[in-house]
Amino acid sequence: MTSIGGAEMVDWNLAVATATRLVRPGPEVGRGEARAVVAELRRHAKTSERHVREFTRMLPESGGVPDTPVLVVDRAGWIRANVAGFRELLAPLLGKMQDRRAGTPGAAVFGAVGGKVTGVELGMLLSFLASRVLGQYETFAPVTRELPGSPGSGGRLLLVAPNIVHVERELGVNPHDFRLWVCLHEETHRTQFTAVPWLREHLEGEIQTFLAATEVDPMTVLERLREAAQSFAGARPDAERGEDGRSLVELVQTPEQREVLARLTAVMSLLEGHADFVMDGVGPEVVPSVAEIREKFQQRRASGAGRLDAALRKLLGLDAKLRQYRDGERFVRAVVGQVGMDGFNRVWTSPNTLPTKAEIAKPADWVARVHRKGSEENQGK
């Protein structure tokens, strides 16, 4: 672990402890019911593989069954998996910060105190998210006994059982239909990563490029955070606040990071929109109450759980994720409608065929760029 004078720059154990202590308890579920929920989610995940592969016409690179485990976890399990993923992804950035601080007066003390503060802050953030995530294809955390993963990519599908039960009760929908519906969405993500072998490395490369552009000077980072806080608090005149509606994450970015973010936003919109499109495409055949589930779930997505929840979602940039679902699904639907599923699947050919952020908003531009280029290449042969 990256450290200064023996002190971790991020106290990861404290992050886990803080998050698990602060996270809200899950719904009351008896032991027998809990076992039944876990077993049903595993069955639905297995069933979803076939449905998703048939609908998308996407197969794992080997042509067989995806070699990635399905882990049904509680909120604490989701927290541990994501802390492990953060730790892996942030290692290069923390190493750069270590080099920058090494030898400065008070570095050891600053590292010890700062590591604990950061650990607590990360734990608070994860405690908020841990009660909201229904499922996740986790691909960055290293493979361990507690977190088994694909031997090749380390990928694993996480289904957060208490959150799924909580939402199905809150919406008042058929629990068996809802569990299958959720599994269809999450299985689509597993299909994306197992059928497109370059996707994981491409995303990791973009994230590392984003992190490499981080201003590691502590005073510079603090100044940008101060400006961001003033912007949200309304302490600065409107003329100085810059672009309206940006999250705290966006406001502390450098210009180079914003360029990377635009590419990442386009990719995430594609992945999330594709999952929603598949979920709705398969749903009517295998989920009898899909129309009711979809309507109620969309209302829940849009409204959040109250004013505090809405404020936190805006601050953390989670509203942008909601737009990714909507914009990405519109992109996929428009492209499939114009060139069919096989024509859409050309999006997975290489990083060059991924849509740009502008093309997500104008699907016809992506069709013109990718399919016209392919037609011209074929004519030249």
Side-chain angles (χ1 to χ4, degrees):
M1 179 55 219
T2 302
S3 61
I4 298 179
E8 294 184 351
M9 295 186 67
V10 178
D11 191 329
W12 300 106
N13 292 331
L14 183 57
V16 172
T18 301
T20 52
R21 184 176 69 253
L22 294 179
V23 70
R24 292 184 295 184
E28 293 187 11
V29 178
R31 183 171 299 179
E33 183 183 0
R35 284 197 295 265
V37 170
V38 170
E40 183 174 18
L41 286 172
R42 287 176 176 155
R43 288 197 307 272
H44 284 332
K46 182 66 177 177
T47 301
S48 296
E49 287 181 18
R50 175 173 56 85
H51 292 310
V52 170
R53 290 203 302 269
E54 289 178 353
F55 183 81
T56 63
R57 304 174 195 169
M58 298 173 67
L59 294 174
E61 189 178 25
S62 62
V65 177
D67 187 19
T68 52
V70 176
L71 307 182
V72 182
V73 299
D74 58 11
R75 290 170 177 174
W78 181 87
I79 288 167
R80 288 192 293 271
N82 277 267
V83 167
F86 279 134
R87 188 172 187 168
E88 187 81 0
L89 277 176
L90 292 176
L93 174 63
L94 295 180
K96 187 166 69 169
M97 293 180 70
Q98 179 190 23
D99 293 341
R100 187 69 172 267
R101 292 179 183 171
T104 59
V109 174
F110 182 84
V113 175
K116 292 189 179 300
V117 170
T118 306
V120 169
E121 291 174 340
L122 177 60
M124 293 173 66
L125 170 62
L126 289 173
S127 72
F128 171 76
L129 297 175
S131 62
R132 287 157 175 78
V133 176
L134 301 183
Q136 173 186 354
Y137 186 79
E138 209 293 313
T139 186
F140 296 118
V143 176
T144 65
R145 185 173 62 181
E146 295 77 19
L147 284 173
S150 167
S153 67
R156 60 191 65 80
L157 181 61
L158 306 178
L159 297 170
V160 191
N163 295 350
I164 294 172
V165 172
H166 171 76
V167 174
E168 70 192 26
R169 290 178 179 179
E170 181 184 279
L171 298 181
V173 295
N174 182 296
H176 309 293
D177 285 1
F178 184 75
R179 293 165 195 172
L180 177 55
W181 189 71
V182 170
C183 286
L184 288 170
H185 181 102
E186 302 306 333
E187 176 58 34
T188 303
H189 288 315
R190 182 161 70 147
T191 297
Q192 291 164 347
F193 281 90
T194 55
V196 186
W198 53 264
L199 184 57
R200 179 188 182 277
E201 289 187 3
H202 173 71
L203 275 178
E204 184 174 14
E206 290 284 57
I207 292 170
Q208 292 303 332
T209 301
F210 182 90
L211 293 176
T214 299
E215 295 172 346
V216 295
D217 176 65
M219 294 307 296
T220 301
V221 173
L222 287 173
E223 176 64 19
R224 293 178 70 83
L225 284 170
R226 183 185 66 81
E227 292 175 359
Q230 289 178 339
S231 175
F232 275 103
R236 300 173 65 192
D238 288 343
E240 298 178 14
R241 291 172 65 183
E243 184 179 345
D244 290 333
R246 287 192 289 165
S247 70
L248 180 60
V249 175
E250 291 173 303
L251 282 167
V252 298
Q253 289 162 11
T254 65
E256 294 83 1
Q257 286 175 312
R258 292 194 186 104
E259 293 180 6
V260 179
L261 183 70
R263 297 196 297 269
L264 279 171
T265 298
V267 175
M268 298 311 298
S269 296
L270 170 69
L271 299 181
E272 297 293 359
H274 184 233
D276 267 12
F277 177 79
V278 172
M279 183 169 58
D280 288 346
V282 175
E285 295 185 8
V286 299
V287 183
S289 59
V290 64
E292 177 192 4
I293 291 173
R294 184 65 160 155
E295 180 181 0
K296 290 183 175 180
F297 193 75
Q298 287 287 64
Q299 292 173 353
R300 183 181 186 275
R301 266 185 185 171
S303 63
R307 294 181 63 185
L308 177 60
D309 182 82
L312 286 171
R313 286 191 299 136
K314 182 177 180 62
L315 180 66
L316 298 173
L318 299 183
D319 281 345
K321 186 171 180 65
L322 299 183
R323 290 194 297 273
Q324 288 172 7
Y325 286 106
R326 183 186 65 238
D327 298 344
E329 195 274 340
R330 278 203 300 256
F331 170 84
V332 176
R333 185 173 301 280
V335 172
V336 172
Q338 189 169 347
V339 296
M341 185 63 74
D342 290 335
F344 165 78
N345 280 341
R346 291 184 62 176
V347 78
W348 312 116
T349 304
S350 74
N352 293 330
T353 57
L354 291 172
T356 64
K357 188 176 180 180
E359 288 171 339
I360 288 288
K362 295 183 177 180
D365 290 353
W366 178 87
V367 172
R369 175 173 67 87
V370 173
H371 284 266
R372 183 192 305 127
K373 181 179 179 181
S375 298
E376 291 173 352
E377 290 176 349
N378 290 333
Q379 290 174 3
K381 292 181 180 179

